[in-house]
Amino acid sequence: MPDAFRVTESRRERKKMGFGGVKQKVSVLRSLVVRELHSRFKGTSLGFLWTILNPLMMLAIYSTVFVLVFKAKWLLPDGNTANYGLMLFVGILCHICLTDVISSAGVIIRSNTNLVKKVIFPVELLPLSCVLVACVNLLIGLALVCVYALFTGAELSLLSIGYMLLAVFVYFFTLAAFAFLLATLGVFLKDVAQITPVLGMVLLFTSTVFFSVETAPEELATFLYLNPISSVADTIRAGFTGQRIMVEHLLVQFGCSLLALMLSYVFFRKMKAVFADLL
């Protein structure tokens, strides 16, 4: 097949194969998400339960270390303290969600060579599927947070749910920006797969996953909200503590994420014509 034909999408063929309309793309995207969720736990004894068990085990380990060993406390802006385990749980879930996206997006194109080389397949759905899989797991985790909050006596109201949904909405654009950028770079640089675990660790320890802004050193506190995890996690936490959300930080993240998503998507669209040649 000539290169010129391979890299030029035929609208007629796309419609014939069912990829032309929004409804068809949504259907394909749903299939990709279900396939990924199924493949992650295929062959395991507990199956989809690992989605619940993984964050719970991490919570148990980290809370044991920080609460029992280091006697950590979660300070609030008003001087009171919050349930450290609950605050930590939220932070862990937000971090897992982001690292899930950056680790899978970096290899998503190379892992689906058979689909990428098909002229009529909408390749942009692959990075989006990474984001949706991570968001599904995040929402399941947040449901567990609500249960945990009820058992620990923390506030749980419609405001809490509203803050969660607002935070996840903003986070989606942040995750999508990472996904399209890393999916593109992953085709040209195999090193991306080696860099993403390190990036995940950097994001973990430079955010408010383990500590609040009030307990951070003053020189570090200024930079904590440059990390996309911090604003999202703190917005969710505010729903359980009755604190005011940092609207300005969330709006800045939303604006930056939207801009980054547009730029990374344009970059992806320009580069996807040569994906098949590099795989």
Side-chain angles (χ1 to χ4, degrees), residues 39-99:
S39 65
R40 288 191 179 192
F41 308 106
K42 185 178 180 181
T44 61
S45 300
L46 298 178
F48 200 69
L49 280 176
W50 281 113
T51 302
I52 298 173
L53 292 176
N54 279 329
L56 287 178
M57 288 190 293
M58 291 186 68
L59 172 65
I61 294 169
Y62 284 129
S63 60
T64 299
V65 172
F66 283 92
V67 177
L68 298 182
V69 178
F70 295 113
K71 308 297 182 183
K73 293 183 179 181
W74 196 278
L75 291 180
L76 297 174
D78 59 8
N80 293 321
T81 59
N83 183 297
Y84 187 87
L86 180 61
M87 302 296 102
L88 178 62
F89 199 2
V90 172
I92 288 174
L93 289 173
C94 292
H95 176 258
I96 289 176
C97 183
L98 182 53
T99 53

Side-chain angles (χ1 to χ4, degrees), residues 2-70:
D3 289 343
F5 178 77
R6 187 172 60 201
V7 301
T8 305
E9 294 182 347
S10 169
R11 291 184 180 178
R12 187 173 300 171
E13 283 188 82
R14 289 168 68 88
K15 290 181 180 179
K16 183 179 179 181
M17 295 298 292
F19 295 134
V22 173
K23 185 177 179 180
Q24 289 79 11
K25 287 185 178 181
V26 169
S27 178
V28 174
L29 183 58
R30 185 190 305 115
S31 299
L32 290 172
V33 171
V34 171
R35 184 191 70 170
E36 176 60 25
L37 288 171
H38 181 265
S39 65
R40 288 191 179 192
F41 308 106
K42 185 178 180 181
T44 61
S45 300
L46 298 178
F48 200 69
L49 280 176
W50 281 113
T51 302
I52 298 173
L53 292 176
N54 279 329
L56 287 178
M57 288 190 293
M58 291 186 68
L59 172 65
I61 294 169
Y62 284 129
S63 60
T64 299
V65 172
F66 283 92
V67 177
L68 298 182
V69 178
F70 295 113

Side-chain angles (χ1 to χ4, degrees), residues 117-193:
K117 289 187 175 182
K118 289 183 178 180
V119 178
I120 47 80
F121 184 78
V123 185
E124 60 273 9
L125 296 185
L126 292 174
L128 275 180
S129 69
C130 295
V131 177
L132 290 177
V133 167
C135 285
V136 167
N137 290 330
L138 176 60
L139 290 172
I140 293 173
L142 290 176
L144 291 175
V145 168
C146 292
V147 175
Y148 187 94
L150 288 173
F151 275 102
T152 57
E155 293 186 27
L156 181 60
S157 61
L158 289 178
L159 183 64
S160 306
I161 306 299
Y163 281 176
M164 281 188 193
L165 295 178
L166 175 62
V168 173
F169 175 76
V170 173
Y171 211 22
F172 175 85
F173 292 94
T174 304
L175 298 172
F178 272 106
F180 279 108
L181 176 61
L182 292 173
T184 309
L185 294 178
V187 177
F188 297 93
L189 300 168
K190 290 185 178 180
D191 306 70
V192 169

